[in-house]
Amino acid sequence: MGSVAEDTDLIAALQAAVGADQVLHGERLAERPAGFWSRHALQARALVRPATTEEVSAILKVCHQRRQPVITHGGLTGLVGGAICSADDVVLSLERMNQIEELDPVDRLARVQAGVILQQLQEAADAQDLLFPLDLGGRGSATIGGNISTNAGGNRVIRYGMTRDLVLGLEAVLADGTVVSSMNQMIKNNTGYDLKQLFIGAEGTLGVVTRAVVKLSEKPRSQQTLFVALNSFAEVKQFLKLMDARLGGALSAFEVMWQNFYRLVTTEPATNQAPLSQNYPFYALVESMGGDPEADQARLEAALADAYEAGLIQDAVVAQSEAQRSALWAMRDDVRQMGRVGPGSSFDVSVRLSRMEDYVNAVNARLAARFPDFTNIIFGHLGDGNLHFYVAPGQTGDGIKEAVERAVYEPLADYDGSISAEHGIGLSKKAYLSLSRSADEIRLMQTLKQALDPHNLLNPGRIIDPA
Ligand code: ZN
């Protein structure tokens, strides 16, 4: 913590930058929780709430002069500790930068401030018969700035890509307060380095994203959702290929549940009913989006009939109403049931589909060797090669968490996989970064960090440490 005189000076300078009302410190800070997942009060020297890019710039200039670390906060729904702050930090919250500045149905783009809530943008697009396709569980709190800074993924990546694929341009403020406005509004623009990519997925370490131009799509006129049971992982892979080929680009989600996940979310006290027998090894939740309800339904049913005939699927239900559609997704989203198998850790990893089964077997073999009573609940966005695990080792104590992490992460090197598919690195996965990125790659990240933030002030300690 700074001395009283330093604190007074810092607070006065921040107040001059953004107005006294928008600088929270002391008692006014104690009312704020530390995060979405936390009930503890937030610890910081101050929390500042700018309303414009110019105010963000003024705040960062104040902090740069004083070599004051700054942690940027969006919706706080992250899962890797990216927003964790201490009593020595200034927190920069973009919650007041929540304006949708433009939403154009002809150009099919939206210009937004970084603090816009994801769901707010989804609804604004929908009202104009457009789709902002990014969708994830935290939609009601997560912000566009946070989605961009973490390159968020979610449920529709197979069709629309990650957040990176939805950003046309953005504006960011560098550590010294320089505003880099790169608000491109065109799909094609080859004019040198694509600077926006420096900030997408950088977790706020190279600059603070303040505004963005994002791509919108036409709103689908129809949506089909089905749920199938399968006998083997080989059939899961073939079924994905068959559906993607037969639906001609309409496939928008391909989520897979291993049997243990399905049993957990359809057995009391979970409130979802099992739509199919619990006795199959794999289940897939499949969604397509199209432009012609009757033709789309017919095409889906024909594809499903093909899959039956080829022996790829054992049983299936097709949602006949919005209520049935929601019920199928509610199973997939009921990740709170994981805790029932005991205390443990959640994982988000990526591996090529062709190597996924071997990788899962390798992880389970390592867990079994060390933890005879382990449970590994498995599900994920299979269409994207993205797996989620919840591992309960069946024992507690020193070093257990790390041993579980090593069992999950270390085999990834053999399968050319990634320790983070869609959650980022933050603080939680930093120690394992070298399993997914080479020493030269990490050195280049350090070079970029050094060039843009030489005093290591923006979200310090996230992703990498200085060289
Ligand atoms: Zn996910």
Side-chain angles (χ1 to χ4, degrees), residues 211-231:
R211 291 161 74 223
V213 183
V214 296
K215 231 184 332 186
L216 305 175
S217 297
E218 290 300 325
K219 180 168 137 183
R221 268 47 171 184
S222 81
Q223 195 163 11
Q224 290 76 39
T225 307
L226 64 138
F227 188 68
V228 303
L230 306 100
N231 263 343

Side-chain angles (χ1 to χ4, degrees), residues 42-327:
L42 188 129
Q43 301 284 316
R45 288 183 80 181
L47 178 145
V48 283
R49 298 186 298 191
T52 64
T53 302
E54 293 65 37
E55 288 181 355
V56 172
S57 169
I59 291 161
L60 292 188
K61 278 181 188 149
V62 165
C63 293
H64 191 253
Q65 264 171 14
R66 292 164 177 75
R67 305 292 185 255
Q68 167 61 50
V70 178
I71 311 293
T72 304
H73 277 187
L76 301 178
T77 57
L79 294 166
V80 292
I84 288 175
C85 53
S86 77
D88 294 327
D89 298 320
V90 163
V91 172
L92 178 62
S93 170
L94 299 184
E95 66 201 61
R96 290 175 65 232
M97 295 191 63
N98 59 359
Q99 300 302 307
I100 298 175
E101 298 171 349
E102 182 190 3
L103 200 153
D104 191 306
V106 174
D107 298 324
R108 296 185 291 197
L109 58 80
R111 195 154 41 86
V112 299
Q113 289 187 313
V116 167
I117 306 279
L118 172 56
Q119 190 171 347
Q120 183 193 344
L121 179 57
Q122 289 174 334
E123 288 170 0
D126 189 78
Q128 303 237 29
D129 280 337
L130 293 164
L131 176 76
F132 182 59
L134 180 66
D135 192 39
L136 38 89
R139 66 183 72 79
S141 304
T143 63
I144 301 300
N147 295 150
I148 290 173
S149 295
T150 58
N151 186 28
N155 296 332
R156 293 186 188 138
V157 173
I158 190 171
R159 168 111 172 239
Y160 297 100
M162 302 280 280
T163 300
R164 188 184 300 286
D165 301 296
L166 304 173
V167 178
L168 292 173
L170 58 73
E171 179 180 82
V173 184
L174 305 184
D176 65 1
T178 303
V179 177
V180 179
S181 195
S182 196
M183 294 285 278
N184 168 61
Q185 310 192 354
M186 293 162 288
I187 289 173
K188 294 186 163 181
N189 183 355
N190 281 352
T191 48
Y193 299 165
D194 189 356
L195 296 175
K196 66 176 182 285
Q197 303 296 355
L198 280 173
F199 306 101
I200 302 173
E203 303 184 25
T205 58
L206 299 182
V208 176
V209 175
T210 48
R211 291 161 74 223
V213 183
V214 296
K215 231 184 332 186
L216 305 175
S217 297
E218 290 300 325
K219 180 168 137 183
R221 268 47 171 184
S222 81
Q223 195 163 11
Q224 290 76 39
T225 307
L226 64 138
F227 188 68
V228 303
L230 306 100
N231 263 343
S232 71
F233 193 78
E235 286 161 5
V236 170
K237 286 184 285 190
Q238 289 176 53
F239 181 58
L240 168 60
K241 271 182 73 66
L242 182 142
M243 293 306 278
D244 206 4
R246 289 298 309 271
L247 295 177
L251 183 67
S252 55
F254 193 91
E255 301 286 314
V256 171
M257 307 171 189
W258 268 241
Q259 183 186 56
N260 61 10
F261 180 96
Y262 180 63
R263 285 190 173 172
L264 196 63
V265 297
T266 54
T267 302
E268 285 185 11
T271 53
N272 295 295
Q273 306 283 320
L276 300 173
S277 151
Q278 292 181 327
N279 293 327
Y280 297 102
F282 297 97
Y283 299 84
L285 174 60
V286 181
E287 197 157 85
S288 73
M289 290 174 158
D292 181 340
E294 270 177 37
D296 295 338
Q297 188 73 19
R299 195 163 47 160
L300 182 91
E301 282 168 12
L304 209 50
D306 276 6
Y308 264 123
E309 205 161 304
L312 297 183
I313 58 174
Q314 305 307 314
D315 204 355
V317 286
V318 179
Q320 302 295 338
S321 65
E322 183 53 36
Q324 287 177 3
R325 194 187 95 78
S326 311

Side-chain angles (χ1 to χ4, degrees), residues 294-370:
E294 270 177 37
D296 295 338
Q297 188 73 19
R299 195 163 47 160
L300 182 91
E301 282 168 12
L304 209 50
D306 276 6
Y308 264 123
E309 205 161 304
L312 297 183
I313 58 174
Q314 305 307 314
D315 204 355
V317 286
V318 179
Q320 302 295 338
S321 65
E322 183 53 36
Q324 287 177 3
R325 194 187 95 78
S326 311
L328 292 175
W329 276 105
M331 292 188 305
R332 166 60 183 82
D333 290 340
D334 197 7
V335 291
R336 282 172 313 171
Q337 300 301 326
M338 303 297 123
R340 282 162 54 199
V341 301
S345 308
S346 297
F347 294 94
D348 161 52
V349 297
S350 209
V351 64
R352 285 170 62 168
L353 207 50
S354 58
R355 295 176 165 198
M356 190 176 280
E357 190 174 24
D358 290 342
Y359 164 68
V360 169
N361 289 338
V363 169
N364 282 343
R366 285 190 56 152
L367 288 169
R370 174 77 162 76

Side-chain angles (χ1 to χ4, degrees), residues 154-155 332 348 381 386 388 422-423:
N155 296 332
R332 166 60 183 82
D348 161 52
H381 318 284
N386 182 182
H388 292 313
E422 58 179 4
H423 294 173

